[in-house]
């Protein structure tokens, strides 16, 4: 009996020791096991972080239009320079990050979005009409597509890649919206032609670069891995040709309403001029400057 009681006490002691060791093992291994899961969480299109970005985009767009319509000229210049400097600073940080471990397939700033970011920064800083034209045509339909169907193979928020990708695309589209509907700059057919010629020149240069270097800047040589609107346009090279036609048509539709709005102003200005009176209407085409 004494021996049985002793064995039972030893058994209970062993079980308590084992339970403590198991608890210590769980408490020591759980943080290490959970850390990789958190660190490797990948961005997912239309997930919570992406939907949050789209909400921020909508609110920011409305705010910029409201601000732009209530600014004096001096306030608009100051605001544009602050926003332009911010865009350029974020672009510089993103470029330096790419150059930490340089690779020819992603470190060269040849994406059209890269050029749009530089144009947006300069258009905000200077209010030059040719820079505004490229920001308008590149930013609204192209950079906004990157916001809606992002090609981002990177960790989710708050990773550096996530923040840089969406910050830059947001700023480009916001610049186009602010300059057009806030500050009041307007495109015209001259700016349309300028944007088409500039974009075709970029496409030809980038396609040759891709062919030589084996890269795919602008997705001119193959489609992105993630789902995108290009999937509906057929295989290469038909999707590139279709994209040129579609973008040209969309840009024309983006120009046509402003031209219709400008015609009555031009007719009124001619009538005032013929009558010898000074025209109160602004008739200057704000498409491409000297």
């Amino acid at each position: 009996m004494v021996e049985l009681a002793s064995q039972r006490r030893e058994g209970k002691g062993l079980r308590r020791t084992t339970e403590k060791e198991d608890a210590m093992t769980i408490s020591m291994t759980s943080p290490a096991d959970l850390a990789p899961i958190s660190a490797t969480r990948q961005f997912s299109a239309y997930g919570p972080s992406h939907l949050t970005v789209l909400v921020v985009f909508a609110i920011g767009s409305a705010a910029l239009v409201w601000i732009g319509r209530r600014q004096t000229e001096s306030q608009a210049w100051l605001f544009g320079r602050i926003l332009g400097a911010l865009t350029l600073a974020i672009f510089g940080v993103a470029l330096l990050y790419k150059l930490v471990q340089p690779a020819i397939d992603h470190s060269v700033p040849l994406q059209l979005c890269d050029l749009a970011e530089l144009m947006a920064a300069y258009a905000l800083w200077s209010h030059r009409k040719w820079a505004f034209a490229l920001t308008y045509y590149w930013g609204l339909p192209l950079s906004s597509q990157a916001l809606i169907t992002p090609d981002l193979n990177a960790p989710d928020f708050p990773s550096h890649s996530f923040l840089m990708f969406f910050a830059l695309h947001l700023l480009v589209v916001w610049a186009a919206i602010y300059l057009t509907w806030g500050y009041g700059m307007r495109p015209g057919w001259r700016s349309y032609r300028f944007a088409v010629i500039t974009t075709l020149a970029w496409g030809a240069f980038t396609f040759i670069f891709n062919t030589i270097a084996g890269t795919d800047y602008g997705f001119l040589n193959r489609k992105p891995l993630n789902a995108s609107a290009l999937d509906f346009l057929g295989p290469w090279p038909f999707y590139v040709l279709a994209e040129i036609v579609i973008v040209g048509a969309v840009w024309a539709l983006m120009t046509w309403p402003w031209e219709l709005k400008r015609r009555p102003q031009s007719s009124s200005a001619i009538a005032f001029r013929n009558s010898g009176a000074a025209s109160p209407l602004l008739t200057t085409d704000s498409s491409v400057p000297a």
Side-chain angles (χ1 to χ4, degrees):
M1 294 292 291
V2 175
E3 292 179 357
L4 286 173
S6 176
Q7 289 176 0
R8 287 174 183 172
R9 285 195 297 270
E10 290 176 0
K12 290 181 180 179
L14 287 172
R15 282 197 299 271
R16 284 195 295 269
T17 303
T18 303
E19 289 172 358
K20 289 181 180 178
E21 290 175 354
D22 291 340
M24 290 177 63
T25 302
I26 291 171
S27 64
M28 290 174 64
T29 57
S30 292
D33 292 338
L34 291 174
I37 294 174
S38 176
T40 57
R41 183 165 55 92
Q42 289 293 103
F43 169 78
S44 176
Y46 306 107
S49 61
H50 185 201
L51 293 177
T52 301
V53 168
L54 295 178
V55 171
V56 171
F57 164 67
I59 296 173
S61 300
L64 286 170
V65 172
W66 185 86
I67 291 171
R69 291 181 176 181
R70 286 159 177 78
Q71 290 175 322
T72 63
E73 187 64 26
S74 60
Q75 290 173 338
W77 274 95
L78 178 61
F79 184 78
R81 295 208 162 195
I82 293 173
L83 202 57
L86 176 64
T87 304
L88 186 61
I90 296 177
F91 175 85
V93 171
L95 183 59
L96 288 174
Y97 185 80
K98 292 178 182 179
L99 295 176
V100 171
Q101 293 181 335
I104 197 170
D105 62 339
H106 70 267
S107 297
V108 183
L110 266 182
Q111 298 282 19
L112 194 59
C113 288
D114 294 329
L115 301 183
E117 289 152 13
L118 292 174
M119 286 301 102
Y122 186 66
L124 288 165
W125 180 274
S126 67
H127 292 175
R128 289 292 183 92
K129 296 171 186 176
W130 66 267
F132 158 73
L134 295 179
T135 302
Y136 177 80
Y137 290 111
W138 287 350
L140 287 180
L142 303 182
S143 293
S144 61
Q145 181 184 339
L147 290 174
I148 298 170
T149 59
D151 180 48
L152 180 61
N153 297 302
D156 205 349
F157 177 86
S159 71
H160 175 274
S161 298
F162 177 95
L163 293 174
M164 292 297 100
F165 179 89
F166 282 110
L168 286 170
H169 285 95
L170 280 172
L171 286 169
V172 171
V173 183
W174 278 343
I177 291 173
Y178 166 75
L179 290 171
T180 305
W181 288 279
Y183 182 65
M185 301 183 77
R186 298 290 184 261
W189 289 121
R190 289 177 59 198
S191 55
Y192 170 82
R193 291 191 294 271
F194 175 73
V196 169
I197 293 171
T198 304
T199 306
L200 289 175
W202 163 83
F205 175 84
T206 305
F207 177 78
I208 294 172
F209 181 91
N210 286 338
T211 303
I212 296 172
T215 54
D216 191 31
Y217 290 102
F219 305 121
L220 295 175
N221 296 61
R222 56 186 176 272
K223 294 180 183 179
L225 297 176
N226 290 350
S228 70
L230 300 180
D231 295 332
F232 299 100
L233 303 181
W236 187 92
F238 299 107
Y239 78 84
V240 177
L241 299 175
E243 195 176 14
I244 293 172
V245 173
I246 292 172
V247 169
V250 170
W251 286 1
L253 291 174
M254 291 169 59
T255 309
W256 181 56
W258 300 117
E259 285 293 328
L260 288 180
K261 190 175 181 179
R262 186 178 290 116
R263 285 178 184 176
Q265 296 180 350
S266 300
S267 301
S268 300
I270 293 172
F272 270 99
R273 193 180 303 116
N274 291 338
S275 65
S279 173
L281 300 173
L282 179 63
T283 60
T284 303
D285 184 356
S286 61
S287 53
V288 182

